[in-house]
Amino acid sequence: MRPPVNGAVRRRPSLSQLRAFAAVAEHLHFRDAATAIGMSQPALSGAVSALEETLGVTLVERTTRKVLLSPAGERLAVRARAVLAEVAALMEEAEAVRAPFTGALRLGVIPTVAPYLLPTVLNLVHERYPDLDLQVHEEQTANLLDGLTTGRLDLLLLAVPLGVPGVTELPLFDEDFVLVTPLGHELGGRQGIPREVLRALNLLLLDEGHCLRDQALDICREAGRDDVPVTTTAAGLSTLVQLVAGGLGVTLLPRTAVTVETSRNPQLLTGRFAHPAPSRRVALAMRAGAARGAEYEELAAALREALRPLPVRVL
């Protein structure tokens, strides 16, 4: 790219150009980037080219097989994301000064919570906050936290603690884990199971990236088991319990998931651990100092009341 002639007034990048470039930098694929931001592929390519012309540098190396960022592109992608995050914060601030619980609320939810709590969340929002445009995104924890910190998401519903600077947690409830076994297993249907039995069981886990997998491994370590050989994993809890029903091992389920995931297969039994049972805490999470923080705290309080009928310990 040719730099502008000395003394010439350089045009400024537009937000659409920065958004297009940030999407390409994230996906390294023009079609996927265009789909992600709802732009046609030719328009996206044109926006990136226009940004390169405006900045006077080559941002993207285009080949017939893939897209790579140039060294300048790597550096400027960080700046572009920061600018877009600040613009998103500006829009959030402006929205916050309007009537509460109106406009869009982008809620991120982890997969091991979404199917079991969303009915309650959606009913609450529909009945109490009818003017709120709730937009739900189901993703794993790492992606949700990235979306929160970059401004892509406003609020998260997930397992805590997170221990992430700049993120405030609003605890909702604690829930116990139960042991799910195949029919005929010696622990199936038992009460008061000592967690030490986990030392010898063939425990089936979710894939890497699921916080529930990490929680299960932590529970095993607390029971005195450091090595959990992983030969079979599943992408979701529904698949996991079917593997259990097929006799491949046992697994741990949070209590909110038990009815949904075990009622469809008569080849499954559940057992309860002795007190204190292994458990997890679920919370809302927001950016510290979020412009709509008071709304999110009110929503958390309303959710706690709405969740009381579930098999959880509301906080």
Side-chain angles (χ1 to χ4, degrees), residues 44-248:
L44 179 131
S45 180
V48 173
S49 295
L51 180 61
E52 291 177 317
E53 188 70 28
T54 297
L55 297 177
V57 295
T58 298
L59 301 172
V60 176
E61 298 178 6
R62 302 164 177 84
T63 70
T64 56
R65 300 183 63 183
K66 58 184 178 180
V67 175
L68 298 174
L69 293 183
S70 69
E74 292 279 1
R75 293 179 58 183
L76 295 179
V78 177
R79 296 285 188 180
R81 284 191 286 265
V83 170
L84 292 172
E86 286 300 316
V87 171
L90 173 67
M91 298 302 294
E92 180 182 355
E93 189 76 28
E95 188 171 332
V97 301
R98 300 198 295 269
F101 296 105
T102 60
L105 172 57
R106 298 163 297 180
L107 176 68
V109 192
I110 56 174
T112 58
V113 162
Y116 322 113
L117 297 190
L118 278 181
T120 301
V121 174
L122 296 177
N123 286 338
L124 172 68
V125 170
H126 177 73
E127 293 176 3
R128 187 173 296 196
Y129 312 114
D131 295 324
L132 187 64
D133 176 19
L134 184 65
Q135 302 170 7
V136 177
H137 302 262
E138 184 186 50
E139 302 172 26
Q140 293 184 6
T141 299
N143 289 338
L144 292 180
L145 285 171
D146 178 71
L148 185 68
T149 56
T150 60
R152 179 173 60 85
L153 299 173
D154 303 310
L155 193 64
L156 307 182
L157 179 58
L158 73 178
V160 296
L162 300 170
V164 178
V167 174
T168 299
E169 299 170 8
L170 305 172
L172 298 176
F173 63 84
D174 292 335
E175 66 174 327
D176 292 340
F177 286 100
V178 301
L179 185 68
V180 181
T181 71
L183 196 65
H185 193 281
E186 61 180 350
L187 296 175
R190 279 186 50 184
Q191 303 291 314
I193 300 172
R195 65 173 73 189
E196 287 75 17
V197 300
L198 293 172
R199 297 174 185 173
L201 294 176
N202 181 24
L203 188 66
L204 302 180
L205 301 171
L206 291 174
D207 292 337
E208 293 276 3
H210 287 278
C211 62
L212 189 58
R213 173 194 176 96
D214 298 329
Q215 291 160 356
L217 292 173
D218 287 341
I219 292 168
C220 288
R221 281 188 283 269
E222 292 170 4
R225 180 177 180 177
D226 293 325
D227 61 321
V228 181
V230 179
T231 57
T232 301
T233 62
L237 292 183
S238 296
T239 300
L240 199 62
V241 296
Q242 297 312 312
L243 295 175
V244 172
L248 296 188

Side-chain angles (χ1 to χ4, degrees), residues 12-21 39 80 83-84 87 91:
R12 296 184 181 275
S14 69
L15 287 178
S16 62
Q17 291 170 355
L18 293 177
R19 191 172 294 110
F21 171 52
M39 180 182 285
V83 170
L84 292 172
V87 171
M91 298 302 294

